Amino acid sequence: MRLLATTNGGLESVTSAELAELVGADPDTHHRGVVAFDGSREAVYDLHCRSRSCHRLMEVLVDERVDGLAGVYEATRTVDLAAHLPDEEFGVVGTRHGSHEFTSVDVADRVGQAVIDGYRAATGDRLPVDLDDPTVRLEAYLYDDRFTLAVDLTGDSLHKRPYRVCEHDAPLRGTLAYSMLRLAEYAADDRLVDPMAGSATIPIEAALAATDRPPRPDLDPAFGVLPRYDAERFGERRAGHEPRDTDPDLEARERREKWRRCARVNVEAAGVEGAVDVVAADAREASLDADCVVTNLPFGIRVSEDLRDLYVAFADRVREGSVDRLVALTTKPDLLPLEFVERHDIPYGRIDASVVVWTP
């Protein structure tokens, strides 16, 4: 079956590489922030247990060229809706890009009406609608004349890590942190340092990846309500997953005591106290000796210090130290006086940011 995975926009290649590694998929970019691939239900179960860069996984119901809203309606009516949807409240999220005389809301409305009409024609029942908190969520994409309809399999997003007990002022998604680790080519036997660790999201993600522990052990996907999926089977596969026995070398540096306390709370919540050292250090002064340095650089939005001075001093420590690979998230890459071998421009909330990669 055809599947979609949503992820951090601009890092689709990272998620594609993870999907290939975990389930042998050969993904292509559907559109920004979404990759498409072929996979089995067993692959879906495994990815909900082990994927670290995906936000949601969806099964494609329709993917074809259409002519306007009428085409959207007719394409949706071709789906055997009774085979894919339970008699539960549903909602549709519409996304439209291109030149059209209608809106994303109109796309969602036409899909919703087609679902109601098609399900009633097949079963005699009218599906209830809940746009705020539906049991079943449908995603409808219309990019120019390409219409894709998919049913969400995940429910609560995979990026919502349960260890995030103490939240930083500028929180970093776990999925983005893991994607940065992949760009750093981090391996379980590497020494990794985050010189500006905040609440320690990057080192925690490294610890979970090194030990191959599920990033969302608390996840309750939609398998219990969706026809053709088996919540018990998913539970068995997750329970049968064996973490790796390894001893990663991870250091979370932070100069502010407030965030060191926060980091320790999150490290304990993640159950990786033995893997992550939280230490007091100033990134402008502390020397660096690490296989990988991965960090979220201050953006200047909530920081009063001179960013240029911070970035220059940090770059000096990187060049002077023993660092095999640096990966940094920043909104101001031009302030970092290093020559990058890669740069990935991404949306970060409502601002534009970049993930940059440097090697000596």
Side-chain angles (χ1 to χ4, degrees), residues 3-302:
L3 299 165
L4 299 179
T6 64
T7 187
N8 296 286
L11 296 174
E12 297 84 5
S13 61
V14 176
T15 294
S16 293
E18 185 196 27
L19 293 172
E21 178 184 297
L22 292 180
V23 297
D26 183 19
D28 56 78
T29 299
H30 185 279
H31 60 273
R32 188 171 177 82
V34 180
V35 299
F37 61 104
D38 294 321
S40 65
R41 288 181 186 82
E42 296 299 309
V44 168
Y45 300 147
D46 285 345
L47 290 173
H48 276 91
C49 177
R50 299 184 64 201
S51 174
R52 304 176 191 281
S53 70
C54 293
H55 296 164
R56 294 183 182 276
L57 293 159
M58 298 178 281
E59 181 182 348
V60 175
L61 306 181
V62 177
D63 190 8
E64 62 183 64
R65 302 291 175 180
V66 299
D67 184 12
L69 290 175
V72 167
Y73 179 91
E74 293 302 326
T76 304
R77 285 297 306 270
T78 66
V79 180
D80 183 1
L81 294 166
H84 290 88
L85 304 180
D87 187 6
E88 300 281 352
E89 294 174 333
F90 82 98
V92 182
V93 178
T95 303
R96 179 201 63 81
H97 286 272
S99 179
H100 305 99
E101 295 181 352
F102 48 83
T103 68
S104 296
V105 173
D106 295 325
V107 173
D109 286 345
R110 293 309 293 157
V111 170
Q113 189 60 57
V115 169
I116 290 171
D117 294 346
Y119 196 88
R120 182 162 47 195
T123 67
D125 297 324
R126 186 187 193 280
L127 281 180
V129 177
D130 185 340
L131 300 181
D132 297 321
D133 187 24
T135 302
V136 178
R137 181 173 177 264
L138 297 173
E139 287 275 359
Y141 300 113
L142 184 64
Y143 275 66
D144 297 317
D145 64 346
R146 182 185 182 184
F147 171 58
T148 307
L149 178 65
V151 58
D152 175 33
L153 307 175
T154 303
D156 196 34
S157 176
L158 287 162
H159 86 271
K160 297 180 180 179
R161 307 301 210 230
Y163 65 76
R164 297 285 287 269
V165 177
C166 184
E167 199 73 272
H168 193 270
D169 285 346
L172 179 68
R173 281 183 172 179
T175 53
L176 178 52
Y178 175 70
S179 294
M180 292 169 65
L181 290 167
R182 287 194 71 98
L183 290 172
E185 300 176 2
Y186 169 71
D189 58 352
D190 285 338
R191 170 168 167 76
L192 179 137
V193 174
D194 182 349
M196 290 169 265
S199 55
T201 299
I202 291 170
I204 290 172
E205 288 294 322
L208 295 176
T211 55
D212 197 20
R213 292 170 54 186
R216 280 295 310 265
D218 61 328
L219 185 70
D220 183 19
F223 305 143
V225 297
L226 290 173
R228 304 164 62 245
Y229 287 88
D230 188 339
E232 185 175 338
R233 176 62 177 157
F234 166 68
E236 291 172 352
R237 291 186 75 88
R238 179 163 63 182
H241 177 68
E242 293 288 342
R244 281 193 296 263
D245 184 13
T246 186
D247 185 22
D249 181 6
L250 308 168
E251 191 170 286
R253 297 180 178 179
E254 176 56 53
R255 68 185 180 91
R256 288 159 292 191
E257 173 59 26
K258 172 183 178 181
W259 298 127
R260 292 198 299 274
R261 290 196 301 267
C262 187
R264 293 188 184 101
V265 168
N266 290 342
V267 166
E268 182 178 358
V272 294
E273 301 97 318
V276 179
D277 291 328
V278 180
V279 300
D282 191 324
R284 296 167 296 187
E285 301 170 358
S287 61
L288 286 167
D289 180 6
D291 299 295
C292 303
V293 172
V294 183
T295 196
N296 178 11
L297 292 169
F299 290 176
I301 297 172
R302 297 184 178 92

